[in-house]
Amino acid sequence: MGHDAAQAATRLSDPARARIDAVLSAVDVELDRAYPGDRAEKQPAHTVYVSAADVDADTPGTWGDRASAIADEAAAVVADLDRTGIASLVQARLRSQPIEDLRIDLEDGYGWRPDVVEDRDARAAGRTIATWSARPEQAPNAFGVRCKGLGATERARGLRSLELVLDAAGGVPDGFVFTVPKLRAAAQVDAVVMICEELERAHGLPEGALRFELQIESPQAVLGSDGRATVAEAIHRGGPRLTGLHYGTYDYSAACGIVSSQQSLEHPVADHAKSVMLVAAAQTGVWVSDGSTQVSPVGSAEVVEAALRRHHRLVTRSLERGFYQGWDMHPGHLVTRWLAVYGFFRSAMSPAVTRLQSYFDRQSSEFVDEPATAQSLALVVLRGLSVGAFTEADVLAVGPRCSAAALGELRASGGVLG
């Protein structure tokens, strides 16, 4: 740079710089508030929904046993889908902790029952949750309930059930979250926050103890009448209490006029809704979960095979598109959930670690990775470690500098090495 150019680069006065900094500093504060980044907690690979009429403290183990039996009966299909040699890991998972996250359903999967019956089942759900909290062996890491929604006809029943669950659970156990179905307006989130505050006050619970998820199953939850993305506004109204967004496959598709035979996780209307959810939640700390498939591996060997292959394909497709969580509705879904999750991350590990090792070493390679790419590579390895798809020893065998601690630091630093 010549002398004149160097002088020109410094002609901004101190007052001018101060005016610019005043504007941008305020923007910095707002961006840091609205987009705090990923949560430190581990996102579950799935959420299992079980009707409150059918669940008990033994449900995770029972589902794991049924899933293991289905895997054994369909061993040839499992072997064909197992491209990375993880079938034994899947079986071990089905025996140890088959379900990471479970919602006891008092909404669509439960239906409308006499008040005395739902009262009884809500209390039983609370006692089951208390048991899981006290005896974590084989219990889900996280659990909660889906009560009826915020509409005029169902909100009184939903509130009553939620309160009965909390009473029977003895408070808010670690890992508890409740799912709010059928969001249609961002202002409804204000009411959910109010519900949390009032329940905490009424029951002597710690402030901020209650957390919730929003179920995105109506077009209005994605695009409002004013043309704005309702879900984006809902996230920021929810604040730290809001932990996740769950896509509701069938209600959403039906509301968009999609005929039942075409409703699925891979329909274009589903892809659009989930893409909006993913963008709205990016860097907010709110997790996004894909929805469910209604096709279960039940029936003849041919029907079971088709269902297993379909679910494996759908889970893999979701993972490839950045949806690391999804719903499972049948024990057989656990087989292909873990097969797809482990297979996806094991396939991604070696190429990612090889590139990260070069990034750490600053060596030339066929890839010239930027800090954001290094962050993404670290994230896929850390996610694979967190779900148990491979061990840190497996990672270090490929990249000696790629310890979990080093990858965590890289992820937290924005990909910039010191």
Side-chain angles (χ1 to χ4, degrees), residues 22 45 49-50 88 102 112 119 131 142 158 167 189 214 223 243 252 254 258-259 268 302 306 342 347-348 381 398 400:
Y49 277 77
V50 185
S88 60
L102 191 149
W112 283 93
D119 285 354
T131 300
D167 279 344
V189 179
L214 297 174
L223 186 66
T243 64
Y252 191 93
I258 309 305
V259 298
E302 292 76 15
Y342 284 176
S347 295
V381 178
V398 178

Side-chain angles (χ1 to χ4, degrees), residues 18-107:
R19 288 178 60 208
I20 294 168
D21 284 343
V23 171
L24 292 180
S25 295
V27 174
D28 291 341
V29 170
E30 175 57 22
L31 287 172
D32 288 344
R33 183 200 65 78
Y35 300 100
D38 295 337
R39 294 213 310 273
E41 302 165 65
K42 172 187 175 297
Q43 183 176 5
H46 66 161
T47 300
V48 165
Y49 277 77
V50 185
S51 168
D54 302 323
V55 74
D56 60 33
D58 296 328
T59 293
T62 301
W63 272 52
D65 291 342
R66 289 177 64 191
S68 292
I70 291 169
D72 288 341
E73 292 164 7
V77 181
V78 170
D80 187 52
L81 294 173
D82 179 13
R83 307 297 167 79
T84 56
I86 42 82
S88 60
L89 277 179
V90 171
Q91 279 287 12
R93 165 65 78 162
L94 296 178
R95 289 190 297 269
S96 61
Q97 191 187 41
I99 297 174
E100 279 198 322
D101 187 28
L102 191 149
R103 294 295 166 276
I104 299 176
D105 195 11
L106 287 154
E107 203 234 356

